[in-house]
Amino acid sequence: MSANPEFILEILQESGLVSKAQLERVLLEGSTGGAVTRLIEQGVLSEEDYMRALAAHASMEFVDVAAMVVAEDVLAEMPRELAERFKVLPLARTEGGLVVAVSNPLDFDTFDSLAHMLGSTPEFVCGTPGAIREALFKWYKIGGDPAKQAGADIYQVDEKGEGEGGDAPIIRMVTSLLMEAYTMRASDIHLEPMEKVFRVRFRVDGVLQEMQSPPKRLQAAILSRLKIMTGSMSIAEKRLPQDGRIQVTVGQRQVDLRVSTVPTTQGESIVMRILDKSALQLGLSQLGFLSDDQAIFERLITLPDGILLVTGPTGSGKTTTLYACLNYINRPDKKLITVEDPVEYQMAGINQVQVNTEIGMTFPAALRSMLRQAPNVVMIGEIRDAETANIAINASLTGHLVFSTLHTNDAPGAVARLVDIGVQPFLVSSAVRAVLAQRLVRRTCAKCKEPAELLPSDMRALGIDALQVAGASVARGAGCEFCRQNGYRGRAGIFEFFTVDDEVRCMINERATTLQLRKRAREMGMRTMREDGIRKVLSGMTTAEEVISVTMGDKE
């Protein structure tokens, strides 16, 4: 990143090259960003003196690039495209690697990028931009004849501190993209290289929306910029998947982005998941519980021990529900510990442990250590294997309340899943207190909500009749600026509770099938996710289309 223009002017004044009066005069003539260019054009400052001052400030050697003779084998060490892209020139080879001349000794992004691409950190020296341009034309035949080019645009710096040439438009474009995604409340940003376009899509309220695509020619530069922002991903590696994180500040909020790249036939595809901490400060009612279900859930999450499982596919809001549970019970008299992979959100008052398999900090290892910390409540990001499951169950049987997630389609199916991964049925029956299965549906926009009628086809699909609809508050969103004309804003959960009583415990011990357990749960009054969704359609919280799209018909 280039230095701030005010900072550069301070360096020039401190070095004695420019007086305070000269600076004040040149600043009256135009913007701060173009001040150096005007000083050089007016003869107040020479290009060489300017670069020597910057080099001295950066503790970098200044060299006369025009007088250097570069050997062919040294030129071969740096690909032509790198020299052209970064406007740098290899000068010599030493025991430590290449010596590379740069025209901006404060451009640390370029230094990092070159180190990644070359596989080693070069020794950087400084030369004048004009001399480097001439040398690039002489040795690489890059650019036109420098004698025919007007040169001062390289000194332009905008008021935000980014150069007008080079990477600055890319930086602004990426920043604008991230800001727009956050403003639209997107949960994911998808950057997908196609044959002729570089497609950008935002996932808003669970639905992908195509945005305006940047020019295809900027694809590589945008992807490289995002990799550099992570600080951990290699911009030279394009054949293997990579993962990283970006932390940005939007207004007064700090937002984390989890970045994933995958090589495709048309280039690298990047997906960024936006992790907004404010989204987790939710009360249970904001999750979408109706009052009767919320009362049941509040009772379950305040039990002294046992396991409470939340199930559903990826993207069904399981993590949000678990964090809402932790927020609800987080008090000074209780110790809460989580073990997660990864820790997506930092929460005040809760001890959070990051899984790191490379150093042996697996889920089981972390759990064993956690239990020696005498917690009251333990949250496990996901039960993935028998070892993790057994430790979690033993923790629940020794007086701990354990929250975790499983990937199953419905609530009763969690029992079969635990048995399948190797947990003994008698342990499952002893430890599991309840299972909550959930899906997410879009909420009807509160600003443009209006009364609506259910279509006969929707009523048939939902299995309801006109008598049940009579007196209901069915609604739809007409579309407004608040919801961007789509009639929905925000999401809510639809839920299925499966509580374990004495009869269910006996059935689990006898290895009852999921179908048998589901039948018993229905006899106990369990509402299915579709039935819960129907209640929310009739209350106007969501629409029939949403519920039908995420639930299957209930077959007894």
Side-chain angles (χ1 to χ4, degrees):
M1 182 179 290
S2 301
N4 184 283
E6 287 88 354
F7 177 63
I8 290 177
L9 295 179
E10 285 178 14
I11 293 173
L12 294 177
Q13 187 177 352
E14 288 174 2
S15 65
L17 292 172
V18 180
S19 69
K20 184 177 180 180
Q22 288 171 323
L23 278 181
E24 289 175 350
R25 186 171 62 251
V26 80
L27 290 175
L28 288 174
E29 298 171 359
S31 70
T32 308
V36 172
T37 298
R38 294 194 296 277
L39 287 169
I40 292 175
E41 289 174 344
Q42 294 167 13
V44 176
L45 182 69
S46 72
E47 181 184 60
E48 182 173 329
D49 285 344
Y50 169 61
M51 297 311 302
R52 283 184 181 276
L54 292 189
H57 182 83
S59 301
M60 188 179 290
E61 181 185 355
F62 180 86
V63 299
D64 183 1
V65 174
M68 303 287 287
V69 176
V70 185
E72 288 291 335
D73 61 334
V74 172
L75 292 172
E77 291 279 330
M78 179 175 290
R80 183 182 188 278
E81 56 268 22
L82 282 189
E84 181 175 20
R85 177 180 172 186
F86 294 107
K87 304 296 185 290
V88 297
L89 182 74
L91 298 178
R93 190 193 299 111
T94 65
E95 292 181 2
L98 278 179
V99 178
V100 175
V102 300
S103 59
N104 185 351
L106 304 178
D107 189 356
F108 303 110
D109 281 350
T110 289
F111 304 159
D112 291 341
S113 299
L114 282 172
H116 274 301
M117 291 180 169
L118 296 171
S120 62
T121 302
E123 176 187 341
F124 292 106
V125 297
C126 182
T128 64
I132 290 179
R133 278 201 308 274
E134 291 176 8
L136 287 173
F137 178 73
K138 177 180 180 180
W139 300 109
Y140 281 105
K141 300 304 179 188
I142 289 173
D145 187 345
K148 299 177 182 178
Q149 296 179 18
D153 62 334
I154 55 169
Y155 305 107
Q156 299 289 351
V157 181
D158 69 15
E159 303 300 357
K160 294 182 180 178
E162 304 296 350
E164 288 179 0
D167 292 337
I170 301 300
I171 293 171
R172 289 195 289 269
M173 183 178 291
V174 169
T175 301
S176 175
L177 178 76
L178 300 181
M179 288 286 290
E180 184 178 12
Y182 181 81
T183 302
M184 289 182 63
R185 302 174 300 105
S187 60
D188 303 279
I189 303 170
H190 295 250
L191 305 177
E192 303 163 314
M194 303 286 120
E195 184 178 0
K196 295 182 179 179
V197 297
F198 183 40
R199 185 167 67 174
V200 175
R201 295 192 290 175
F202 295 166
R203 190 182 297 278
V204 181
D205 293 333
V207 178
L208 282 170
Q209 300 181 16
E210 190 154 350
M211 311 305 294
Q212 183 176 355
S213 298
K216 176 73 172 175
R217 60 186 169 81
L218 299 181
Q219 173 180 312
I222 291 172
L223 297 180
S224 293
R225 173 61 186 166
L226 289 167
K227 287 182 174 182
I228 290 170
M229 289 176 72
T230 68
S232 62
M233 298 170 74
S234 170
I235 61 176
E237 180 56 73
K238 296 179 173 62
R239 298 169 300 171
L240 295 173
Q242 296 187 72
D243 294 293
R245 295 179 82 106
I246 297 173
Q247 197 170 77
V248 295
T249 301
V250 181
Q252 299 299 314
R253 288 184 174 174
Q254 197 172 66
V255 179
D256 291 336
L257 295 97
R258 201 165 72 199
V259 185
S260 170
T261 71
V262 173
T264 71
T265 56
Q266 301 298 331
E268 286 182 287
S269 172
I270 284 190
V271 175
M272 292 176 283
R273 184 172 183 199
I274 301 174
L275 307 174
D276 180 11
K277 297 177 184 178
S278 64
L280 289 181
Q281 307 304 313
L282 299 177
L284 296 179
S285 59
Q286 293 171 283
L287 297 178
F289 287 112
L290 296 179
S291 57
D292 53 349
D293 283 343
Q294 184 173 332
I296 296 171
F297 196 59
E298 287 176 357
R299 179 182 62 81
L300 290 172
I301 65 176
T302 53
L303 290 172
D305 56 28
I307 293 181
L308 177 63
L309 295 171
V310 180
T311 75
T314 300
S316 60
K318 300 188 296 296
T319 300
T320 302
T321 297
L322 286 182
Y323 275 116
C325 294
L326 295 179
N327 274 331
Y328 183 81
I329 63 177
N330 187 14
R331 298 194 304 270
D333 62 335
K334 288 191 174 183
K335 179 160 185 172
L336 283 65
I337 301 183
T338 74
V339 54
E340 305 168 65
D341 183 20
V343 174
E344 293 185 354
Y345 303 92
Q346 299 288 337
M347 298 185 69
I350 296 177
N351 300 277
Q352 295 174 271
V353 178
Q354 168 73 56
V355 168
N356 188 342
T357 54
E358 292 182 2
I359 61 172
M361 181 62 100
T362 60
F363 270 107
L367 274 171
R368 291 191 192 96
S369 299
M370 286 167 54
L371 296 178
R372 290 194 288 270
Q373 297 281 311
N376 299 102
V377 179
V378 173
M379 188 195 94
I380 306 166
E382 181 185 348
I383 292 179
R384 302 177 179 177
D385 52 51
E387 189 175 9
T388 303
N390 280 309
I391 296 173
I393 285 173
N394 288 330
S396 72
L397 295 176
T398 53
H400 304 85
L401 180 60
V402 179
F403 296 112
S404 192
T405 68
L406 276 177
H407 288 285
T408 62
N409 289 326
D410 62 2
V415 172
R417 173 67 179 148
L418 288 172
V419 173
D420 286 345
I421 64 176
V423 182
Q424 292 296 322
F426 76 90
L427 290 175
V428 176
S429 65
S430 302
V432 176
R433 296 286 182 266
V435 183
L436 174 72
Q438 67 178 63
R439 299 289 188 278
L440 293 177
V441 292
R442 290 183 291 174
R443 288 180 182 265
T444 307
C445 176
K447 299 284 187 182
C448 61
K449 181 186 289 189
E450 62 182 22
E453 293 185 0
L454 283 178
L455 298 173
S457 57
D458 290 337
M459 292 171 63
R460 285 194 300 272
L462 294 173
I464 57 177
D465 54 35
L467 190 61
Q468 292 171 275
V469 178
S473 304
V474 178
R476 62 181 290 274
C480 64
E481 188 174 332
F482 186 62
C483 64
R484 295 181 177 265
Q485 308 302 326
N486 64 29
Y488 299 99
R489 185 179 171 94
R491 288 192 288 178
I494 55 175
F495 306 102
E496 178 176 283
F497 282 112
F498 173 52
T499 55
V500 178
D501 65 0
D502 289 339
E503 185 173 339
V504 171
R505 289 190 184 93
C506 292
M507 294 176 68
I508 294 173
N509 288 336
E510 294 169 0
R511 296 182 180 270
T513 65
T514 298
L515 187 60
Q516 292 169 325
L517 291 173
R518 187 170 185 81
K519 182 178 180 182
R520 168 59 187 161
R522 296 288 278 151
E523 291 170 356
M524 293 165 59
M526 181 187 82
R527 271 190 298 271
T528 65
M529 280 182 281
R530 173 156 286 195
E531 289 171 342
D532 189 45
I534 290 170
R535 294 203 305 161
K536 288 163 184 174
V537 170
L538 299 181
S539 69
M541 182 185 293
T542 188
T543 63
E545 293 85 358
E546 283 293 296
V547 173
I548 293 168
S549 69
V550 300
T551 62
M552 297 187 298
D554 302 317
K555 298 178 181 178
E556 300 303 332

